[in-house]
Amino acid sequence: MYAYVLAAPHFHLGLAQAEFCAFTGCTTTGRIGLAPVAVDISRAAFISSCVHVAAAGTSLDEVCADARAKGLAWEGFHIQTFCPGEGSLFTSLEPIIRAADAIAGRPNLSSPRVRLALIVSGDLWALGPIISTYRSDWPAHERRPHFFSGSLPTRFSRAMVNLVASPGNTLIDPCCGVGVALIEALACGVEAYGCDINPRMAAQAAENLVSLGLPQRVFVADARGIGGRYDAAVLDLPYGRNVGVGKGLYGDLLGTLRTITRRGAIVAARDLSGELEEVFGFGVVHHVEVPKTTMVRHLHVVAAVE
Ligand SMILES: C[S@@+](CC[C@H](N)C(=O)[O-])C[C@H]1O[C@@H](n2cnc3c(N)ncnc32)[C@H](O)[C@@H]1O
């Protein structure tokens, strides 16, 4: 069994849980996800660590007893504690010292050969080696030249990409704005393309990509008329006066989306689940509400239904 640590502020917890599901196929309602598979989470937005659960129990006593019973042994280990969402549980070093005493082998705090995690979440205590961590490269992408008040946050965009695409997939962002999702997709090894009806936006997206050393695959187009086939799409629907939401625009954009991909992550200012299922032939796999200061973003992860 493997334990995944979700590192997300409370307003992004739903996104983190959806990202965990996309990586492992399992679900969680908390800040720790359990899955029978080990997955490389280096490109994750909100999953900080994947831990092999070598010993477990419902208390510190039990997890230590399990570690002893299994004869767990590591030379040169270092134990890091994870108590997501319940930060005050580890107020002393005692749990770490007791867990270390239950392991055969010597610790090495300055240059460890093995990094172990001691996790406590609800009544689960787990101990084992950390086998994958996120590389957290997305903050560096905030040093791009162009920003836009309607852009999605960088970390949100990274999760959105991960919800629908894997490295090597093709992806389209048909309303790419200044290219935040394109940057995250390309940084994850996804073959991403973007377009925007506004030439200034498309030009700024292209400059953002070039400034970060990423391939520039942005074109100016009305997304209602684009063609081709892509493994996945991310679509941050236009809203507000500045982007001019015309009558029927959503319908035209979503109808086109359905013809060019079978998998999408769609953001809107309202819940579109009903329309996506009844009108456009998508099944809604996840619907996550993400609060923004003065509004709520609705993220829909959809898959085509035949
Ligand atoms: C909410 S913004 C997307 C912001 C983007 N996610 C970002 O991070 O910068 C919506 C974008 O859709 C574009 N847009 C509006 N109508 C469009 C259409 N028919 N075809 C393509 N782009 C369109 C707007 O110019 C705007 O850049």
Tab-separated table of all heavy atoms in Angstrom, residues 74-123:
chain	number	residue	atom	x	y	z
A	74	TRP	N	16.849	0.072	8.084
A	74	TRP	CA	17.466	0.961	7.083
A	74	TRP	C	18.732	1.548	7.692
A	74	TRP	O	18.742	1.916	8.882
A	74	TRP	CB	16.532	2.109	6.703
A	74	TRP	CG	15.389	1.702	5.830
A	74	TRP	CD1	15.434	1.437	4.495
A	74	TRP	CD2	14.019	1.520	6.234
A	74	TRP	NE1	14.191	1.096	4.043
A	74	TRP	CE2	13.300	1.144	5.076
A	74	TRP	CE3	13.346	1.623	7.446
A	74	TRP	CZ2	11.943	0.871	5.104
A	74	TRP	CZ3	11.988	1.359	7.468
A	74	TRP	CH2	11.300	0.979	6.305
A	75	GLU	N	19.769	1.665	6.909
A	75	GLU	CA	21.011	2.287	7.392
A	75	GLU	C	21.044	3.726	6.897
A	75	GLU	O	20.776	3.991	5.725
A	75	GLU	CB	22.217	1.495	6.844
A	75	GLU	CG	23.514	1.725	7.603
A	75	GLU	CD	23.361	1.565	9.133
A	75	GLU	OE1	22.810	0.527	9.595
A	75	GLU	OE2	23.769	2.489	9.852
A	76	GLY	N	21.320	4.659	7.801
A	76	GLY	CA	21.431	6.074	7.419
A	76	GLY	C	20.085	6.700	7.109
A	76	GLY	O	19.935	7.418	6.116
A	77	PHE	N	19.085	6.470	7.940
A	77	PHE	CA	17.741	6.992	7.643
A	77	PHE	C	17.467	8.331	8.336
A	77	PHE	O	18.119	8.702	9.315
A	77	PHE	CB	16.660	5.961	8.019
A	77	PHE	CG	16.571	5.662	9.507
A	77	PHE	CD1	15.835	6.475	10.363
A	77	PHE	CD2	17.210	4.547	10.037
A	77	PHE	CE1	15.742	6.205	11.719
A	77	PHE	CE2	17.119	4.267	11.399
A	77	PHE	CZ	16.393	5.092	12.244
A	78	HIS	N	16.506	9.018	7.787
A	78	HIS	CA	16.027	10.282	8.365
A	78	HIS	C	14.504	10.214	8.333
A	78	HIS	O	13.923	9.821	7.316
A	78	HIS	CB	16.530	11.461	7.533
A	78	HIS	CG	15.976	12.782	7.972
A	78	HIS	ND1	14.788	13.305	7.493
A	78	HIS	CD2	16.441	13.701	8.845
A	78	HIS	CE1	14.549	14.478	8.062
A	78	HIS	NE2	15.542	14.743	8.893
A	79	ILE	N	13.856	10.572	9.456
A	79	ILE	CA	12.384	10.491	9.489
A	79	ILE	C	11.790	11.892	9.438
A	79	ILE	O	12.143	12.766	10.227
A	79	ILE	CB	11.886	9.782	10.775
A	79	ILE	CG1	12.447	8.358	10.850
A	79	ILE	CG2	10.364	9.743	10.809
A	79	ILE	CD1	12.051	7.608	12.125
A	80	GLN	N	10.886	12.074	8.480
A	80	GLN	CA	10.145	13.335	8.356
A	80	GLN	C	8.695	13.043	8.744
A	80	GLN	O	8.153	11.994	8.381
A	80	GLN	CB	10.217	13.784	6.904
A	80	GLN	CG	9.618	15.137	6.635
A	80	GLN	CD	9.750	15.524	5.154
A	80	GLN	OE1	10.472	14.882	4.385
A	80	GLN	NE2	9.042	16.573	4.765
A	81	THR	N	8.084	13.960	9.486
A	81	THR	CA	6.699	13.723	9.908
A	81	THR	C	5.723	14.444	8.982
A	81	THR	O	5.996	15.541	8.479
A	81	THR	CB	6.471	14.220	11.354
A	81	THR	OG1	6.898	15.573	11.430
A	81	THR	CG2	7.215	13.372	12.348
A	82	PHE	N	4.605	13.803	8.758
A	82	PHE	CA	3.519	14.401	7.970
A	82	PHE	C	2.238	14.260	8.765
A	82	PHE	O	1.836	13.157	9.116
A	82	PHE	CB	3.335	13.674	6.631
A	82	PHE	CG	4.480	13.849	5.693
A	82	PHE	CD1	5.512	12.928	5.679
A	82	PHE	CD2	4.534	14.922	4.825
A	82	PHE	CE1	6.578	13.074	4.812
A	82	PHE	CE2	5.597	15.085	3.952
A	82	PHE	CZ	6.625	14.151	3.953
A	83	CYS	N	1.641	15.381	9.054
A	83	CYS	CA	0.397	15.377	9.816
A	83	CYS	C	-0.525	16.381	9.128
A	83	CYS	O	-0.881	17.418	9.688
A	83	CYS	CB	0.723	15.799	11.241
A	83	CYS	SG	-0.617	15.558	12.364
A	84	PRO	N	-0.882	16.087	7.858
A	84	PRO	CA	-1.549	17.123	7.070
A	84	PRO	C	-2.873	17.555	7.669
A	84	PRO	O	-3.709	16.728	8.010
A	84	PRO	CB	-1.748	16.462	5.697
A	84	PRO	CG	-1.559	15.012	5.912
A	84	PRO	CD	-0.726	14.830	7.136
A	85	GLY	N	-3.014	18.861	7.824
A	85	GLY	CA	-4.265	19.417	8.319
A	85	GLY	C	-4.429	19.327	9.819
A	85	GLY	O	-5.416	19.781	10.368
A	86	GLU	N	-3.475	18.687	10.498
A	86	GLU	CA	-3.615	18.515	11.949
A	86	GLU	C	-2.296	18.900	12.610
A	86	GLU	O	-1.874	18.259	13.575
A	86	GLU	CB	-3.946	17.048	12.277
A	86	GLU	CG	-5.196	16.548	11.577
A	86	GLU	CD	-5.273	15.021	11.583
A	86	GLU	OE1	-5.025	14.431	12.639
A	86	GLU	OE2	-5.572	14.449	10.539
A	87	GLY	N	-1.660	19.939	12.078
A	87	GLY	CA	-0.278	20.302	12.377
A	87	GLY	C	0.198	20.214	13.804
A	87	GLY	O	1.372	19.985	14.047
A	88	SER	N	-0.705	20.360	14.799
A	88	SER	CA	-0.209	20.454	16.166
A	88	SER	C	0.023	19.094	16.824
A	88	SER	O	0.473	19.018	17.947
A	88	SER	CB	-1.200	21.253	17.014
A	88	SER	OG	-2.431	20.572	17.017
A	89	LEU	N	-0.287	17.992	16.111
A	89	LEU	CA	-0.127	16.681	16.756
A	89	LEU	C	1.325	16.378	17.112
A	89	LEU	O	1.609	15.743	18.116
A	89	LEU	CB	-0.663	15.579	15.837
A	89	LEU	CG	-2.045	15.044	16.190
A	89	LEU	CD1	-2.524	14.066	15.158
A	89	LEU	CD2	-2.013	14.368	17.557
A	90	PHE	N	2.255	16.838	16.268
A	90	PHE	CA	3.666	16.580	16.552
A	90	PHE	C	4.249	17.780	17.279
A	90	PHE	O	4.830	18.668	16.679
A	90	PHE	CB	4.439	16.326	15.251
A	90	PHE	CG	4.154	14.979	14.657
A	90	PHE	CD1	3.442	14.864	13.489
A	90	PHE	CD2	4.607	13.819	15.288
A	90	PHE	CE1	3.177	13.620	12.941
A	90	PHE	CE2	4.340	12.575	14.748
A	90	PHE	CZ	3.624	12.470	13.578
A	91	THR	N	4.046	17.839	18.585
A	91	THR	CA	4.561	18.979	19.334
A	91	THR	C	5.909	18.658	19.972
A	91	THR	O	6.547	19.523	20.538
A	91	THR	CB	3.576	19.398	20.442
A	91	THR	OG1	3.252	18.239	21.183
A	91	THR	CG2	2.319	20.018	19.854
A	92	SER	N	6.319	17.410	19.903
A	92	SER	CA	7.630	17.057	20.450
A	92	SER	C	8.291	16.060	19.502
A	92	SER	O	7.662	15.574	18.549
A	92	SER	CB	7.470	16.423	21.826
A	92	SER	OG	7.053	15.075	21.685
A	93	LEU	N	9.560	15.777	19.771
A	93	LEU	CA	10.288	14.820	18.934
A	93	LEU	C	10.000	13.379	19.326
A	93	LEU	O	10.492	12.450	18.692
A	93	LEU	CB	11.797	15.084	19.055
A	93	LEU	CG	12.304	16.351	18.359
A	93	LEU	CD1	13.794	16.526	18.630
A	93	LEU	CD2	12.042	16.277	16.863
A	94	GLU	N	9.186	13.201	20.368
A	94	GLU	CA	8.994	11.852	20.903
A	94	GLU	C	8.523	10.829	19.855
A	94	GLU	O	9.095	9.734	19.772
A	94	GLU	CB	7.995	11.889	22.071
A	94	GLU	CG	7.999	10.585	22.852
A	94	GLU	CD	6.638	10.282	23.496
A	94	GLU	OE1	5.879	11.232	23.711
A	94	GLU	OE2	6.366	9.096	23.738
A	95	PRO	N	7.503	11.147	19.017
A	95	PRO	CA	7.085	10.134	18.033
A	95	PRO	C	8.222	9.732	17.090
A	95	PRO	O	8.368	8.558	16.747
A	95	PRO	CB	5.957	10.828	17.263
A	95	PRO	CG	5.461	11.892	18.185
A	95	PRO	CD	6.660	12.345	18.945
A	96	ILE	N	9.062	10.720	16.695
A	96	ILE	CA	10.173	10.402	15.779
A	96	ILE	C	11.180	9.505	16.482
A	96	ILE	O	11.663	8.513	15.914
A	96	ILE	CB	10.855	11.703	15.299
A	96	ILE	CG1	9.857	12.547	14.505
A	96	ILE	CG2	12.076	11.397	14.464
A	96	ILE	CD1	10.409	13.833	13.967
A	97	ILE	N	11.485	9.839	17.728
A	97	ILE	CA	12.478	9.041	18.467
A	97	ILE	C	11.966	7.611	18.658
A	97	ILE	O	12.691	6.640	18.460
A	97	ILE	CB	12.795	9.715	19.828
A	97	ILE	CG1	13.514	11.045	19.569
A	97	ILE	CG2	13.636	8.810	20.718
A	97	ILE	CD1	13.603	11.959	20.769
A	98	ARG	N	10.681	7.484	18.983
A	98	ARG	CA	10.130	6.129	19.194
A	98	ARG	C	10.078	5.341	17.887
A	98	ARG	O	10.354	4.148	17.866
A	98	ARG	CB	8.753	6.230	19.842
A	98	ARG	CG	8.926	6.643	21.319
A	98	ARG	CD	7.638	6.611	22.095
A	98	ARG	NE	6.895	5.389	21.885
A	98	ARG	CZ	5.584	5.274	22.108
A	98	ARG	NH1	4.912	6.307	22.550
A	98	ARG	NH2	4.972	4.142	21.908
A	99	ALA	N	9.736	6.020	16.800
A	99	ALA	CA	9.728	5.315	15.500
A	99	ALA	C	11.151	4.901	15.125
A	99	ALA	O	11.380	3.777	14.649
A	99	ALA	CB	9.132	6.215	14.423
A	100	ALA	N	12.128	5.797	15.367
A	100	ALA	CA	13.530	5.472	15.044
A	100	ALA	C	14.001	4.273	15.866
A	100	ALA	O	14.721	3.403	15.359
A	100	ALA	CB	14.414	6.689	15.301
A	101	ASP	N	13.562	4.217	17.128
A	101	ASP	CA	13.959	3.093	17.995
A	101	ASP	C	13.379	1.767	17.515
A	101	ASP	O	13.888	0.701	17.862
A	101	ASP	CB	13.502	3.349	19.441
A	101	ASP	CG	14.380	4.403	20.119
A	101	ASP	OD1	15.470	4.698	19.566
A	101	ASP	OD2	13.962	4.924	21.174
A	102	ALA	N	12.269	1.849	16.765
A	102	ALA	CA	11.620	0.613	16.294
A	102	ALA	C	12.271	0.078	15.012
A	102	ALA	O	11.899	-0.986	14.522
A	102	ALA	CB	10.133	0.885	16.042
A	103	ILE	N	13.223	0.857	14.461
A	103	ILE	CA	13.871	0.473	13.198
A	103	ILE	C	15.287	-0.001	13.499
A	103	ILE	O	16.014	0.642	14.265
A	103	ILE	CB	13.939	1.699	12.248
A	103	ILE	CG1	12.528	2.140	11.864
A	103	ILE	CG2	14.767	1.401	11.021
A	103	ILE	CD1	12.486	3.509	11.206
A	104	ALA	N	15.685	-1.107	12.869
A	104	ALA	CA	17.078	-1.544	12.997
A	104	ALA	C	17.918	-0.699	12.042
A	104	ALA	O	17.497	-0.442	10.910
A	104	ALA	CB	17.185	-3.028	12.649
A	105	GLY	N	19.088	-0.257	12.461
A	105	GLY	CA	19.936	0.606	11.632
A	105	GLY	C	20.078	1.959	12.289
A	105	GLY	O	19.320	2.301	13.197
A	106	ARG	N	21.081	2.723	11.793
A	106	ARG	CA	21.351	4.018	12.425
A	106	ARG	C	20.771	5.174	11.611
A	106	ARG	O	20.814	5.131	10.380
A	106	ARG	CB	22.875	4.225	12.543
A	106	ARG	CG	23.500	3.499	13.722
A	106	ARG	CD	24.977	3.436	13.550
A	106	ARG	NE	25.321	2.773	12.288
A	106	ARG	CZ	26.549	2.561	11.853
A	106	ARG	NH1	27.575	2.988	12.550
A	106	ARG	NH2	26.767	1.949	10.703
A	107	PRO	N	20.270	6.186	12.308
A	107	PRO	CA	19.825	7.379	11.580
A	107	PRO	C	21.015	8.194	11.082
A	107	PRO	O	22.115	8.082	11.617
A	107	PRO	CB	19.025	8.158	12.633
A	107	PRO	CG	19.454	7.635	13.950
A	107	PRO	CD	20.051	6.272	13.755
A	108	ASN	N	20.784	8.982	10.073
A	108	ASN	CA	21.781	9.950	9.602
A	108	ASN	C	21.011	11.199	9.198
A	108	ASN	O	20.366	11.243	8.155
A	108	ASN	CB	22.565	9.388	8.408
A	108	ASN	CG	23.642	10.358	7.932
A	108	ASN	OD1	23.578	11.558	8.225
A	108	ASN	ND2	24.617	9.855	7.212
A	109	LEU	N	21.052	12.212	10.054
A	109	LEU	CA	20.220	13.400	9.817
A	109	LEU	C	20.857	14.370	8.830
A	109	LEU	O	20.154	15.117	8.151
A	109	LEU	CB	19.942	14.115	11.140
A	109	LEU	CG	19.308	13.258	12.245
A	109	LEU	CD1	18.863	14.123	13.410
A	109	LEU	CD2	18.128	12.455	11.712
A	110	SER	N	22.201	14.367	8.731
A	110	SER	CA	22.850	15.380	7.887
A	110	SER	C	22.906	14.953	6.420
A	110	SER	O	22.694	15.781	5.532
A	110	SER	CB	24.245	15.703	8.410
A	110	SER	OG	24.963	14.511	8.581
A	111	SER	N	23.210	13.683	6.139
A	111	SER	CA	23.148	13.252	4.725
A	111	SER	C	22.559	11.835	4.667
A	111	SER	O	23.277	10.857	4.507
A	111	SER	CB	24.510	13.328	4.049
A	111	SER	OG	25.450	12.574	4.724
A	112	PRO	N	21.244	11.797	4.827
A	112	PRO	CA	20.570	10.495	4.888
A	112	PRO	C	20.644	9.727	3.570
A	112	PRO	O	20.654	10.325	2.502
A	112	PRO	CB	19.116	10.863	5.210
A	112	PRO	CG	18.962	12.285	4.843
A	112	PRO	CD	20.308	12.929	4.953
A	113	ARG	N	20.695	8.409	3.704
A	113	ARG	CA	20.639	7.557	2.506
A	113	ARG	C	19.195	7.176	2.196
A	113	ARG	O	18.864	6.862	1.066
A	113	ARG	CB	21.485	6.301	2.724
A	113	ARG	CG	22.975	6.620	2.613
A	113	ARG	CD	23.842	5.529	3.184
A	113	ARG	NE	23.618	4.242	2.539
A	113	ARG	CZ	24.166	3.110	2.950
A	113	ARG	NH1	24.960	3.115	4.007
A	113	ARG	NH2	23.937	1.980	2.326
A	114	VAL	N	18.353	7.163	3.229
A	114	VAL	CA	16.935	6.825	3.033
A	114	VAL	C	16.081	7.858	3.764
A	114	VAL	O	16.311	8.132	4.947
A	114	VAL	CB	16.612	5.433	3.634
A	114	VAL	CG1	15.175	5.028	3.296
A	114	VAL	CG2	17.582	4.382	3.161
A	115	ARG	N	15.109	8.397	3.040
A	115	ARG	CA	14.179	9.337	3.684
A	115	ARG	C	12.895	8.591	4.012
A	115	ARG	O	12.255	8.028	3.122
A	115	ARG	CB	13.894	10.527	2.771
A	115	ARG	CG	15.114	11.407	2.610
A	115	ARG	CD	14.842	12.664	1.812
A	115	ARG	NE	16.089	13.386	1.621
A	115	ARG	CZ	16.601	14.233	2.511
A	115	ARG	NH1	15.949	14.497	3.629
A	115	ARG	NH2	17.755	14.832	2.290
A	116	LEU	N	12.551	8.595	5.310
A	116	LEU	CA	11.340	7.908	5.749
A	116	LEU	C	10.283	8.933	6.126
A	116	LEU	O	10.609	10.058	6.515
A	116	LEU	CB	11.637	7.037	6.977
A	116	LEU	CG	12.739	5.982	6.823
A	116	LEU	CD1	12.941	5.237	8.147
A	116	LEU	CD2	12.404	5.000	5.701
A	117	ALA	N	9.028	8.513	6.040
A	117	ALA	CA	7.917	9.372	6.460
A	117	ALA	C	7.192	8.687	7.607
A	117	ALA	O	6.954	7.477	7.572
A	117	ALA	CB	6.960	9.598	5.306
A	118	LEU	N	6.861	9.474	8.614
A	118	LEU	CA	5.948	9.029	9.672
A	118	LEU	C	4.687	9.867	9.481
A	118	LEU	O	4.707	11.082	9.656
A	118	LEU	CB	6.560	9.263	11.053
A	118	LEU	CG	5.660	8.894	12.241
A	118	LEU	CD1	5.332	7.406	12.251
A	118	LEU	CD2	6.326	9.282	13.569
A	119	ILE	N	3.619	9.182	9.090
A	119	ILE	CA	2.376	9.879	8.738
A	119	ILE	C	1.330	9.609	9.803
A	119	ILE	O	1.177	8.473	10.252
A	119	ILE	CB	1.833	9.359	7.386
A	119	ILE	CG1	2.818	9.671	6.259
A	119	ILE	CG2	0.473	9.939	7.075
A	119	ILE	CD1	2.440	9.025	4.931
A	120	VAL	N	0.620	10.658	10.199
A	120	VAL	CA	-0.566	10.438	11.027
A	120	VAL	C	-1.721	11.224	10.421
A	120	VAL	O	-1.600	12.400	10.081
A	120	VAL	CB	-0.333	10.782	12.520
A	120	VAL	CG1	0.138	12.202	12.705
A	120	VAL	CG2	-1.583	10.530	13.327
A	121	SER	N	-2.809	10.505	10.220
A	121	SER	CA	-3.998	11.127	9.636
A	121	SER	C	-5.216	10.400	10.186
A	121	SER	O	-5.406	9.208	9.923
A	121	SER	CB	-3.947	11.001	8.109
A	121	SER	OG	-5.132	11.500	7.549
A	122	GLY	N	-6.029	11.099	10.986
A	122	GLY	CA	-7.149	10.418	11.650
A	122	GLY	C	-6.604	9.307	12.521
A	122	GLY	O	-5.671	9.523	13.306
A	123	ASP	N	-7.111	8.089	12.327
A	123	ASP	CA	-6.574	6.991	13.143
A	123	ASP	C	-5.586	6.127	12.357
A	123	ASP	O	-5.333	4.983	12.722
A	123	ASP	CB	-7.703	6.144	13.758
A	123	ASP	CG	-8.598	5.539	12.712
A	123	ASP	OD1	-8.296	5.724	11.517
A	123	ASP	OD2	-9.584	4.878	13.084
